[in-house]
């Protein structure tokens, strides 16, 4: 009997360790409305909030959320934020509402969320929660008629490198990690209860709307294109600075290797002369010599994040320009007719 129980315990532990990967983030419609309202009310300021729900197999269910208060610069941010979260979760527990933390949400401006601060927040959450996500909402893009909502998590290979704080070229090649492998986007599925779905059906009008939306026919490009271009130029400047750091490193490395070769050649010539006189040869490497100390290689994390951000801006510019070209070709066809 004891052997059977031991085997069952080991099987259960093995099953828990090999949990299925996260496939879908299922969010209730009311939670999405809360996130949108909080982010739009404080736009263009950036806000954050807590996500609550359940982790069920390969599905992460988000059933509730609450916003974090706006913090002033002169406040003790960490202590007040922790006390506020604990008090809110205690209140939710008293009214029998899901109070399990599954991540957080935050607003962004034109998709500029890929920063070191986001990664550090992910790592802090990962200490207590094995699988957590961050919901990113962009009010500026949503104003253009697109629900800019996405769920992100860090890849396992990237978290392993980040814990070791080793982003050298050798380690990145060993792990086969590129700039596109930092974040993983998880599909979002919106769910509503049967009662809410029935209520929304009742709210639908009986006849379709016949009024035309003439704003869609405006030929001028929106300010969204200009702001994306401004942010893209700033990222290109930042990437150029990062490249200058690597160029400086490789110049110093090449200079050090030339000094090492000259020193070794001199030492070998000296050893040949010592052997001719019957003396013991000197070692060919001197660890105390500063030219043999390895130069620290700059971290590639910042350049990876900037490259990821540039790709995001390019995709947004491509989407906006594509819509503008469609309208221009439509108007050209109408004028020709």
């Amino acid at each position: 009997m004891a052997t059977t129980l031991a085997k069952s315990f080991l099987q259960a532990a093995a099953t828990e360790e090999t949990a299925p990967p996260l496939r879908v983030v299922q969010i209730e419609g009311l939670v999405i409305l809360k996130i949108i309202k909080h982010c739009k009310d404080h736009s263009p300021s950036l806000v954050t909030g807590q996500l609550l729900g359940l982790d069920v197999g390969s599905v992460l269910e988000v059933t509730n959320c609450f916003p974090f208060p706006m913090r002033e610069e002169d406040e003790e941010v960490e202590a007040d934020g922790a006390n506020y979260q604990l008090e809110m979760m205690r209140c939710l527990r008293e009214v029998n509402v899901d109070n399990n933390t599954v991540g957080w949400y935050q607003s962004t401006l034109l998709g500029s969320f890929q920063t070191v601060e986001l990664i550090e927040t992910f790592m802090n959450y990962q200490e207590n929660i094995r699988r957590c996500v961050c919901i990113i909402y962009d009010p500026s893009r949503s104003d253009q008629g697109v629900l800019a909502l996405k769920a992100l998590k860090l890849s396992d290979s990237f978290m392993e490198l980040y814990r070791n704080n080793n982003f050298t070229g050798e380690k990145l090649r060993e792990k086969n990690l590129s700039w596109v492998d930092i974040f993983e986007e998880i599909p979002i599925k919106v769910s509503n209860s049967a009662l809410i779905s029935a209520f929304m059906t009742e709210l639908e009008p009986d006849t379709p709307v016949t009024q035309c939306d003439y704003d869609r026919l405006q030929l001028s490009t929106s300010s969204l294109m200009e702001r994306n271009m401004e942010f893209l130029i700033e990222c290109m400047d930042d990437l150029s600075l990062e490249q200058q750091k690597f160029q400086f490193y490789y110049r110093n490395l090449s200079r050090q290797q030339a000094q090492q070769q000259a020193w070794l050649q001199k030492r070998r010539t000296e050893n040949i002369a010592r052997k001719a006189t019957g003396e013991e040869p000197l070692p060919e490497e001197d660890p105390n010599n500063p030219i043999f100390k390895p130069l620290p290689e700059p971290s590639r994390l910042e350049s990876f994040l900037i490259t990821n951000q540039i790709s995001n801006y390019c995709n947004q510019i491509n989407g906006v320009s594509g819509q503008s070209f469609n309208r221009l070709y439509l108007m050209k066809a109408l004028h020709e007719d």
Side-chain angles (χ1 to χ4, degrees):
M1 183 68 179
T3 306
T4 306
L5 290 175
K7 289 182 178 180
S8 300
F9 176 77
L10 291 175
Q11 291 175 356
T15 304
E16 183 178 358
E17 291 179 357
T18 59
L22 187 60
R23 301 294 185 188
V24 178
V25 176
Q26 182 175 302
I27 311 178
E28 292 192 1
L30 182 59
V31 176
I32 294 181
L33 293 178
K34 287 181 179 180
I35 294 174
I36 294 175
K37 184 178 186 303
H38 182 211
C39 296
K40 279 195 171 184
D41 289 347
H42 296 85
S43 181
S45 300
L46 303 182
V47 295
T48 60
Q50 193 89 310
L51 297 177
L52 306 174
L54 299 171
D55 186 359
V56 183
S58 60
V59 179
L60 190 68
E61 299 180 2
V62 181
T63 58
N64 201 356
C65 69
F66 63 85
F68 292 155
M70 297 292 291
R71 299 173 297 195
E72 301 294 338
E73 295 181 358
D74 56 348
E75 292 181 345
E76 297 180 359
V77 177
E78 295 184 1
D80 292 347
N83 294 333
Y84 175 79
Q85 293 181 43
L86 293 175
E87 184 65 20
M88 280 294 297
M89 295 177 72
R90 184 186 64 81
C91 295
L92 292 173
R93 185 168 56 251
E94 289 179 355
V95 296
N96 197 22
V97 176
D98 291 338
N99 61 345
N100 300 315
T101 303
V102 295
W104 80 101
Y105 70 86
Q106 68 179 51
S107 61
T108 185
L109 180 62
L110 294 179
S112 56
F113 58 87
Q114 303 180 34
T115 59
V116 178
E117 289 76 13
L118 178 63
I119 296 175
E120 291 176 351
T121 306
F122 259 117
M123 299 306 295
N124 292 333
Y125 271 84
Q126 286 286 339
E127 293 180 358
N128 301 316
I129 307 171
R130 290 186 59 185
R131 297 198 301 184
C132 66
V133 296
C134 177
I135 304 296
I136 304 291
Y137 177 72
D138 192 341
S140 57
R141 289 192 60 205
S142 297
D143 291 340
Q144 306 300 318
V146 179
L147 181 59
L149 193 74
K150 60 175 60 178
L152 299 176
K153 67 180 289 290
L154 291 179
S155 63
D156 296 335
S157 56
F158 176 80
M159 284 192 293
E160 182 181 352
L161 282 179
Y162 190 84
R163 290 190 184 100
N164 299 328
N165 195 19
N166 191 351
F167 287 96
T168 61
E170 180 182 356
K171 278 294 182 182
L172 293 173
R173 287 189 295 270
E174 179 183 337
K175 296 292 184 180
N176 196 21
L177 187 73
S178 64
W179 57 271
V180 296
D181 301 322
I182 298 178
F183 297 101
E184 293 181 5
E185 185 172 353
I186 311 298
I188 293 178
K189 178 182 178 182
V190 181
S191 67
N192 289 310
S193 64
L195 185 61
I196 293 178
S197 299
F199 178 69
M200 292 176 64
T201 304
E202 291 293 329
L203 292 178
E204 291 182 358
D206 296 333
T207 57
V209 178
T210 57
Q211 184 179 1
C212 296
D213 186 3
Y214 295 104
D215 293 338
R216 297 178 182 271
L217 299 178
Q218 290 183 0
L219 299 182
S220 61
T221 57
S222 63
S223 60
L224 188 67
M225 170 79 78
E226 299 176 6
R227 299 174 72 184
N228 270 294
M229 290 297 297
E230 292 175 359
F231 288 168
L232 179 60
I233 293 172
E234 292 179 3
C235 283
M236 294 300 295
D237 292 338
D238 294 338
L239 185 61
S240 177
L241 293 176
E242 289 295 320
Q243 290 177 343
Q244 290 178 10
K245 293 180 183 178
F246 285 103
Q247 291 174 358
F248 181 73
Y249 163 75
Y250 284 115
R251 281 199 301 267
N252 290 339
L253 184 62
S254 177
R255 188 181 301 114
Q256 185 189 54
Q257 291 175 350
Q259 293 175 353
Q260 290 175 357
Q261 291 297 328
W263 190 89
L264 289 174
Q265 187 66 29
K266 181 180 177 182
R267 177 57 62 91
R268 287 166 183 167
T269 304
E270 185 179 353
N271 285 336
I272 292 173
R274 292 175 67 92
K275 287 181 180 179
T277 58
E279 298 179 7
E280 289 290 333
L282 297 175
E284 292 189 354
E285 291 187 3
D286 185 6
N288 296 324
N289 196 323
I291 65 173
F292 287 100
K293 292 183 179 179
L295 296 176
E297 183 178 348
S299 174
R300 299 176 184 266
L301 175 59
E302 198 68 38
S303 60
F304 271 29
L305 291 175
I306 295 173
T307 306
N308 220 333
Q309 196 64 60
I310 289 175
S311 175
N312 188 24
Y313 289 142
C314 290
N315 291 334
Q316 292 178 170
I317 292 173
N318 187 26
V320 175
S321 60
Q323 295 175 3
S324 300
F325 275 121
N326 290 337
R327 291 195 294 266
L328 290 173
Y329 280 120
L330 174 62
M331 294 306 297
K332 179 182 178 182
L334 291 176
H335 281 296
E336 290 177 354
D337 292 343

